[in-house]
Amino acid sequence: MDQPKYFSSLLGFLLKREYEKDEDCKSLETLKEMVFSEQDDVTLELIEFTYNKCFEIIQKASYSDMQISTFENIVKESDFTTVQQECLNKFWKVNKKKIHEIIYKTTRFNNSLQKISWRIDVKTKSKEISEINEPVSIVELKLKNTNTNTNNNNNNNNNNNNKNDLIRFEMDKNQLEETLQQINSIQKHLQAKSL
């Protein structure tokens, strides 16, 4: 298990099984057959122990979006061999962003703003008033449904995943000012929470 080729294969299997949800990587027996079949000294128990130890570190690092230097320090403090530490560090450098994006996508449960467009129009008349000449803003929000919860038994649900919604609305000067005040309030709260 101390050879980089085998340990890197174990990490690649972990990535496919735990994060990419590859159907071919369901059990550790599959890993033993694919990678360690010719190594008699590597038991299924050893594979499971090493796999779980690697998964624990990678999971902790991925959920906190751990920086590479911090990850290297945690790995250095563990009881992995030098070769295994090098493999883990290389794995994290290569796959950090990918794993974080997978976790981010799977933990999102609502829509996200994909694009905002706007223009100014002049309202010239309405039913009640024949001449207005009042500027209004027309706002268009493009939302992306990021719901990744798929259900094979419900095809309608699958077809609605990752669809985009378009919302158009009109705001006069007062409504726009109120909206901007609310957005500024949201921004202040977010900044306060991120400190």
Side-chain angles (χ1 to χ4, degrees), residues 5-18:
K5 173 183 160 184
Y6 294 117
F7 193 74
S8 294
S9 295
L10 180 137
L11 294 173
F13 186 89
L14 186 148
L15 175 68
K16 288 180 180 179
R17 181 180 184 202
E18 302 296 340

Side-chain angles (χ1 to χ4, degrees), residues 72-86:
E72 289 173 347
N73 289 335
I74 288 175
V75 170
K76 196 181 290 183
E77 293 170 3
S78 68
D79 58 348
F80 286 107
T81 66
T82 306
V83 171
Q84 291 172 339
Q85 289 177 14
E86 289 172 7

